[in-house]
Amino acid sequence: MTSQQKKPSQRQGFKIGEFIVYPAHGVGQIAMIEDQEVAGHKLELFVIDFDKDKMRLKVPVAKASTIGMRKLAETTLVERSLKVVQGRARVKRTMWSRRAQEYDAKINSGDLISIAEVVRDLYRADNQPEQSYSERQLYEAALDRMARELAAVNKLSDTEAVRMIETNLNLGPKRGKAAEEEAAAEGESQEAAA
């Protein structure tokens, strides 16, 4: 055996150069796998670059799956997420602060379908009233997360991915005041039936 051991290029099914999804930050790329000594213990770390955020994250290889790091979605899941954004917005009748927390948790879950639900629920068509600042922030965060994963899976630019999502949003049911009133009435009749 030589004194120079070959560095591993794959651990726990993740390879150097591969794009992954980290729940709290979205799509990143594994730059390398390195060994580091922390408090007298040797740790093997994934070094993940998030170019758009100009950020580098080091994740212990042993903790990667427990923290929710995953491979990019399969094309079938991407197609399902696009079907989700075509659906009718489901807005609960709870306080905005509680809904905002739920939306934030969905965005940071790393689950593509949950993120698509936030995009669908917070989307506003041109004929709809303006969003509040916090609604707009959450919508843009969810749209950005979803677009980055779609772009990585389909090898598109982020702009093309956003356009693809918006096209699918516009294929959904009619939006606007009349549609919201109709959905509210439908929701109340379902609650009464339950």
Side-chain angles (χ1 to χ4, degrees):
M1 212 195 272
T2 62
S3 61
Q4 275 290 347
Q5 286 188 331
K6 190 170 183 266
K7 274 289 193 199
S9 64
Q10 182 170 338
R11 284 283 181 268
Q12 293 200 353
F14 296 108
K15 299 187 290 268
I16 293 175
E18 178 179 29
F19 285 96
I20 55 90
V21 175
Y22 187 85
H25 302 294
V27 176
Q29 186 174 22
I30 298 175
M32 66 180 102
I33 300 171
E34 72 177 23
D35 292 323
Q36 197 169 28
E37 197 166 312
V38 179
H41 296 285
K42 213 170 182 173
L43 267 183
E44 201 171 29
L45 302 166
F46 286 119
V47 179
I48 306 166
D49 288 332
F50 297 87
D51 288 336
K52 191 167 182 186
D53 300 325
K54 295 178 178 59
M55 180 175 74
R56 176 169 267 192
L57 188 66
K58 293 183 178 185
V59 179
V61 169
K63 299 269 186 203
S65 58
T66 53
I67 56 175
M69 190 168 114
R70 65 171 174 82
K71 293 182 172 292
L72 291 176
E74 298 288 324
T75 51
T76 53
L77 188 63
V78 168
E79 289 166 11
R80 230 176 85 211
S81 72
L82 290 170
K83 288 280 182 238
V84 167
V85 298
Q86 291 177 22
R88 184 180 300 279
R90 293 187 182 99
V91 179
K92 294 179 184 170
R93 298 221 176 272
T94 56
M95 288 175 39
W96 168 247
S97 60
R98 176 152 304 146
R99 278 186 295 149
Q101 285 177 334
E102 288 174 11
Y103 289 143
D104 195 48
K106 282 183 169 189
I107 293 167
N108 289 318
S109 71
D111 177 52
L112 188 59
I113 299 301
S114 294
I115 296 167
E117 289 170 356
V118 176
V119 170
R120 174 199 66 206
D121 294 349
L122 292 179
Y123 172 70
R124 290 282 189 272
D126 293 336
N127 64 346
Q128 288 182 282
E130 283 293 308
Q131 289 174 306
S132 70
Y133 178 76
S134 56
E135 278 181 306
R136 186 87 196 141
Q137 292 296 106
L138 283 168
Y139 171 73
E140 287 175 0
L143 183 64
D144 183 58
R145 266 308 153 79
M146 187 175 176
R148 285 197 213 177
E149 188 159 0
L150 264 62
V153 169
N154 294 324
K155 306 212 181 338
L156 303 168
S157 71
D158 285 355
T159 308
E160 291 169 321
V162 167
R163 223 175 279 132
M164 177 191 284
I165 295 166
E166 287 175 342
T167 300
N168 280 279
L169 281 164
N170 290 321
L171 292 174
K174 61 186 183 285
R175 297 181 186 263
K177 195 78 177 138
E180 283 178 17
E181 288 168 0
E182 184 182 306
E186 188 178 296
E188 287 167 9
S189 67
Q190 286 178 349
E191 285 174 13

